[in-house]
Amino acid sequence: MSDTPPVEPVVEGEPAPAEPASAEPTPAEATPAEASAEAPAQGFGDAAGEAPDATEVEFSDELSRAESDAAQARADVAALTDDLQRLQAEYLNYKRRVDRDRELVRENATWTALAPVTEVLDTIDRAREHGPLEEGLRAVAEQLERVVAGQGLVRYGAPGDAFDPMLHEALSHIGQDPDVEVTTCKVVARAGYRLGDRVLRAAQVLVVDPAPEQTESQRAE
């Protein structure tokens, strides 16, 4: 007899009998663990080496533009601050100059108005050199002096004052005087006037110089 198994007749319309499942998995049916082990591992270096995406590039560009704008804004603020300080200094200098010119104009106007009055006072001073004034004339003289002083005009110059070329006009030297140590106003020919620190009219004076020191031989003689 033959060892070939008998072939069962196939009935048309019925499914063929399923073959028994194999106990060993095929290569295509690898387990998840094996698939994970066989997959190439991606390290940190691979991720870092990737090129940045478009969002990161756009953000970097915007940050650079913002830093540039901020630097330009700081430069503009510094320039405007310098301009403001320069304008403020120019304004202060202009204000001082205007105030000084205004004060000068006021002083000139005051002197122009009172100069004739001072000439009258000069005549009264010469009259006083010859004796006391009469009561009526004395009252007028005192009133004129009060008017002049009320406008800030200060009279100066008296015998015995140290000579100051900024305040006095020396008309003449009249010799030496052993009682003085510096050049001194001996006679006041005409009083001077000043308004504040400004001399409007120098006092006209006659001056004397100090006598030179004598040697012991000269003193003995």
Side-chain angles (χ1 to χ4, degrees):
M1 292 182 67
S2 173
D3 294 334
T4 302
V7 178
E8 296 181 357
V10 178
V11 180
E12 186 177 357
E14 291 183 358
E19 296 182 356
S22 175
E24 297 180 358
T26 61
E29 297 177 351
T31 63
E34 294 175 349
S36 176
E38 293 177 358
Q42 295 182 354
F44 178 78
D46 296 338
E50 295 179 356
D53 56 11
T55 303
E56 294 178 351
V57 173
E58 183 179 358
F59 176 77
S60 177
D61 293 341
E62 291 180 356
L63 181 60
S64 299
R65 285 194 298 269
E67 293 176 351
S68 177
D69 294 342
Q72 183 62 37
R74 287 192 293 269
D76 294 342
V77 169
L80 292 175
T81 302
D82 292 340
D83 293 341
L84 179 61
Q85 292 175 349
R86 183 172 61 255
L87 290 175
Q88 185 176 10
E90 292 177 356
Y91 172 74
L92 291 177
N93 293 333
Y94 168 78
K95 186 176 183 299
R96 294 191 189 99
R97 185 168 60 253
V98 169
D99 292 342
R100 184 173 61 250
D101 294 344
R102 184 183 294 114
E103 182 66 18
L104 184 62
V105 170
R106 187 189 69 82
E107 292 176 356
N108 290 338
T110 300
W111 174 246
T112 301
L114 296 180
V117 180
T118 60
E119 294 178 359
V120 175
L121 294 177
D122 293 338
T123 303
I124 294 174
D125 290 339
R126 287 191 291 270
R128 283 172 174 160
E129 294 175 357
H130 300 283
L133 300 177
E134 297 181 358
E135 183 176 355
L137 181 57
R138 185 176 65 253
V140 173
E142 292 175 352
Q143 183 178 4
L144 289 176
E145 291 173 348
R146 286 194 299 270
V147 170
V148 170
Q151 296 298 320
L153 207 61
V154 178
R155 178 183 176 183
Y156 70 92
D161 292 345
F163 176 75
D164 185 348
M166 301 299 295
L167 301 175
H168 305 101
E169 177 185 355
L171 299 179
S172 176
H173 285 74
I174 57 175
Q176 298 176 350
D177 190 342
D179 295 333
V180 299
E181 298 180 354
V182 295
T183 302
T184 305
C185 302
K186 190 69 173 179
V187 178
V188 178
R190 190 175 69 169
Y193 288 94
R194 62 172 177 251
L195 190 61
D197 296 332
R198 182 186 176 194
V199 176
L200 299 178
R201 190 183 80 178
Q204 296 180 344
V205 297
L206 307 178
V207 299
V208 293
D209 295 324
E213 295 182 359
Q214 297 180 349
T215 63
E216 293 182 359
S217 59
Q218 291 175 338
R219 292 176 183 174
E221 295 177 357

